[in-house]
């Protein structure tokens, strides 16, 4: 094989290699163009709004809250109480904004109750660690949440919608205020009814949490009873229809 033939072969190999590289580059550019022209997913579009950002903020602040409660000093206890109060306020605000601005989304329906349960569970567990409430109370409260959440999923799979009762709303209110009081924990002077009074926030928090526990058990029992009645009422017409048609 002479020198000219070898040169042609080398040139052909270089041309083939360049052709393959150009083809790969062209495919990469096509994929990038397709990604740029592809519309964003519905869930991604729903995610980026102010109510959902407030909900995500409640989730992201949980490590800061846990760190604040870990020390247990009076200063950090006040910081933890402030963080939890702010989270509770944003829970009300994001729900109000979502309804007011018609921004109720699937992502929000998932994240909002998740954020609430995560920060409440973190707070209750930390209060047990600091010996501010007994463990059995937290076990009852968290077990109630698991039971009711499971019943809601079963109800949704059956096409049932069961509204929360008034006792569940009282449970939530007492629980949130009780956790704030437990986070403060120490005795502080509070100006109330024209006098400065020493208030033991831990005692107040325990009373409110015990009351919340009673409402929690009551609301779970009512929810379970309502679930069974609604399920029976839904199935009874379908069971009677064959007899009526005959």
């Amino acid at each position: 094989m002479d020198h000219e033939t070898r040169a042609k072969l080398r040139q052909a190999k270089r041309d083939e290699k360049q052709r393959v590289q150009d083809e790969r580059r062209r495919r990469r550019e096509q994929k990038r163009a397709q990604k740029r022209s592809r519309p964003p997913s519905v869930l991604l579009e729903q995610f980026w709004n102010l109510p959902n950002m407030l909900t995500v903020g409640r989730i992201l602040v949980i490590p800061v809250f846990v760190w604040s409660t870990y020390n247990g000093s009076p200063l950090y206890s006040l910081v933890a109480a402030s963080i939890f109060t702010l989270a509770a306020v944003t829970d009300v605000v994001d729900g109000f904004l979502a309804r007011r601005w018609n921004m109720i989304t699937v992502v929000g329906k998932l994240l909002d109750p998740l954020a609430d349960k995560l920060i409440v569970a973190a707070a209750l567990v930390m209060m047990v660690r600091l010996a501010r409430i007994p463990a059995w109370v937290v076990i009852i409260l968290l077990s109630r949440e698991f039971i009711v959440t499971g019943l809601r999923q079963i109800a949704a799979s059956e096409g049932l919608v069961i509204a929360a009762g008034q006792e569940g709303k009282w449970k939530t209110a007492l629980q949130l205020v009780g956790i704030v009081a437990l986070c403060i924990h120490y005795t502080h002077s509070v100006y109330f009814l024209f006098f400065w009074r020493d208030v033991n926030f831990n005692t107040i928090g325990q009373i409110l949490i015990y009351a919340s526990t009673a409402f929690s058990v009551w609301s779970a029992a009512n929810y379970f009873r309502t679930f069974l009645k609604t399920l029976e009422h839904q199935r009874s017409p379908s069971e009677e229809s064959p007899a009526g048609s005959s």
Side-chain angles (χ1 to χ4, degrees):
M1 183 181 297
D2 56 9
H3 178 72
E4 184 178 355
T5 304
R6 286 197 297 268
K8 289 181 179 180
L9 290 174
R10 285 195 296 268
Q11 183 62 36
K13 290 181 181 179
R14 284 194 294 268
D15 293 343
E16 179 65 19
K17 184 177 180 181
Q18 184 64 37
R19 187 189 65 79
V20 172
Q21 291 177 350
D22 292 342
E23 181 65 20
R24 290 176 179 174
R25 188 180 301 109
R26 185 182 62 82
R27 290 178 180 177
R28 287 196 297 267
E29 290 176 354
Q30 286 180 347
K31 289 181 180 179
R32 293 195 190 100
Q34 290 175 356
K35 288 181 179 179
R36 286 193 296 266
S37 61
R38 184 185 306 165
S41 65
V42 176
L43 291 179
L44 189 60
E45 285 183 344
Q46 293 180 349
F47 181 80
W48 296 108
N49 60 53
L50 181 58
N52 287 344
M53 291 300 98
L54 291 174
T55 303
V56 172
R58 293 208 308 276
I59 297 176
L60 295 179
V61 84
I62 292 176
V64 182
F65 169 77
V66 171
W67 178 82
S68 300
T69 58
Y70 201 86
N71 183 278
S73 66
L75 176 60
Y76 282 107
S77 294
L78 287 174
V79 172
S82 301
I83 293 174
F84 191 88
T85 303
L86 180 62
V89 171
T90 57
D91 182 25
V92 177
V93 171
D94 66 26
F96 171 77
L97 292 178
R99 292 187 295 270
R100 182 71 178 271
W101 295 345
N102 195 23
M103 290 184 175
I104 300 176
T105 63
V106 176
V107 176
K109 290 179 181 179
L110 169 67
L111 291 180
D112 188 66
L114 178 63
D116 297 341
K117 288 177 174 56
L118 286 176
I119 194 167
V120 168
L124 291 174
V125 170
M126 292 307 296
M127 293 305 103
V128 172
R129 178 191 174 275
L130 296 171
R132 297 180 183 179
I133 51 174
W136 64 266
V137 174
V138 176
I139 292 173
I140 292 176
L141 291 174
L142 295 183
S143 298
R144 182 264 182 196
E145 295 301 325
F146 287 129
I147 292 171
V148 172
T149 301
L151 288 176
R152 282 176 179 159
Q153 291 179 347
I154 296 173
S157 66
E158 294 289 335
L160 305 177
V161 178
I162 303 176
Q166 188 63 38
E167 63 279 356
K169 298 177 181 178
W170 277 104
K171 182 271 301 182
T172 302
L174 291 170
Q175 188 178 84
L176 294 179
V177 178
I179 290 175
V180 171
L182 288 174
C183 287
I184 298 174
H185 177 64
Y186 295 93
T187 300
H188 294 278
S189 295
V190 177
Y191 189 75
F192 182 69
L193 296 179
F194 308 105
F195 293 100
W196 286 96
R197 306 171 187 271
D198 290 336
V199 177
N200 187 329
F201 282 90
N202 193 69
T203 300
I204 293 176
Q206 287 181 344
I207 293 173
L208 293 175
I209 289 296
Y210 287 140
S212 171
T213 304
F215 276 100
S216 179
V217 175
W218 181 22
S219 64
N222 282 347
Y223 192 93
F224 186 70
R225 184 171 60 252
T226 304
F227 168 77
L228 292 179
K229 287 182 178 179
T230 307
L231 189 63
E232 182 180 0
H233 178 73
Q234 185 194 43
R235 290 182 175 178
S236 57
S238 62
E239 292 174 355
E240 294 173 358
S241 59
S245 60
S246 60

